[in-house]
Amino acid sequence: MEKGQEVAIRGDKELALYELETRFAMAIRQRQLLENYIRERLKPDKHFYTVGDEPGRKPSLTKEGAELICLPHDLKGHYEWLSGPETPPLDDTAYQITIRCKLETTSGKFEGEGVGSASSMITKKDGERVQRQRDPGLRHNATIKMACKSAYIAATLNSTAASEFFTQDLEDDQTG
């Protein structure tokens, strides 16, 4: 190896370490900003909620909370239908709809994604399963909205590192 090549390699390593240190410093600062923003702007029972009083339980993020977190990140959701009927069954057959939400900046840069699904049925506290809505069209619309909401919250948690502070819903919480 020639003498000039050693210097170039060492220079590349130093540059790589500098870039890595810069990215770590940015990550630390971004986390601080996110934590302060959450503490100052997000309100309990509107932007997030907690069920139970066990210590260490993460609150669940609402769609309104996810929207506030995406706002300073300049993120917009784009939805993709993954599975489920596109038109509502006319009978009371249960079905599931699954949606992918991709978050991009307004300039089009991809930042992350999440998948969400919803059932046309709701399980009540006593375990009984009932239709989300009586009317098939309204039921289908509500199921689509719930799947989109779930996908959006998942994408927000994945894209912004907010999963340190929130969970998506009660099913994500291992203590419940």
Side-chain angles (χ1 to χ4, degrees):
M1 182 181 298
E2 294 179 25
K3 191 174 187 177
Q5 289 177 334
E6 290 173 352
V7 172
I9 291 171
R10 195 176 91 209
D12 288 345
K13 287 180 183 178
E14 289 172 358
L15 179 60
L17 286 174
Y18 173 77
E19 289 173 353
L20 183 61
E21 288 171 346
T22 301
R23 286 193 296 270
F24 273 115
M26 285 180 58
I28 290 167
R29 183 66 178 132
Q30 286 172 333
R31 190 222 171 266
Q32 290 170 341
L33 289 169
L34 179 61
E35 182 177 24
N36 291 340
Y37 182 77
I38 289 169
R39 189 179 309 112
E40 294 170 7
R41 302 283 179 228
L42 273 63
K43 307 293 182 236
D45 300 323
K46 178 175 175 125
H47 302 118
F48 61 90
Y49 60 92
T50 305
V51 177
D53 56 0
E54 291 93 15
R57 182 186 292 252
K58 283 186 195 178
S60 295
L61 188 63
T62 65
K63 183 172 185 286
E64 293 86 354
E67 289 169 341
L68 281 182
I69 290 172
C70 285
L71 185 64
H73 288 91
D74 188 34
L75 297 176
K76 304 289 182 210
H78 302 278
Y79 299 91
E80 176 186 354
W81 195 281
L82 296 180
S83 67
E86 293 188 26
T87 57
L90 298 179
D91 60 7
D92 289 341
T93 304
Y95 59 91
Q96 191 90 7
I97 294 176
T98 305
I99 302 287
R100 174 182 291 127
C101 177
K102 293 183 179 182
L103 291 179
E104 298 177 352
T105 62
T106 52
S107 64
K109 182 182 176 214
F110 174 78
E111 293 292 329
E113 65 185 7
V115 173
S117 66
S119 172
S120 61
M121 304 289 280
I122 297 172
T123 304
K124 293 185 167 187
K125 289 182 182 180
D126 63 5
E128 179 187 6
R129 290 180 50 82
V130 297
Q131 294 291 337
R132 189 173 288 283
Q133 294 275 347
R134 286 180 171 260
D135 177 85
L138 293 175
R139 178 184 320 132
H140 197 64
N141 188 48
T143 305
I144 291 168
K145 286 181 178 180
M146 291 303 295
C148 288
K149 184 186 291 189
S150 178
Y152 184 77
I153 292 169
T156 300
L157 294 173
N158 292 341
S159 303
T160 65
S163 60
E164 177 182 349
F165 307 101
F166 300 107
T167 186
Q168 180 158 1
D169 43 42
L170 295 176
E171 291 79 28
D172 289 347
D173 188 351
Q174 299 302 313
T175 64

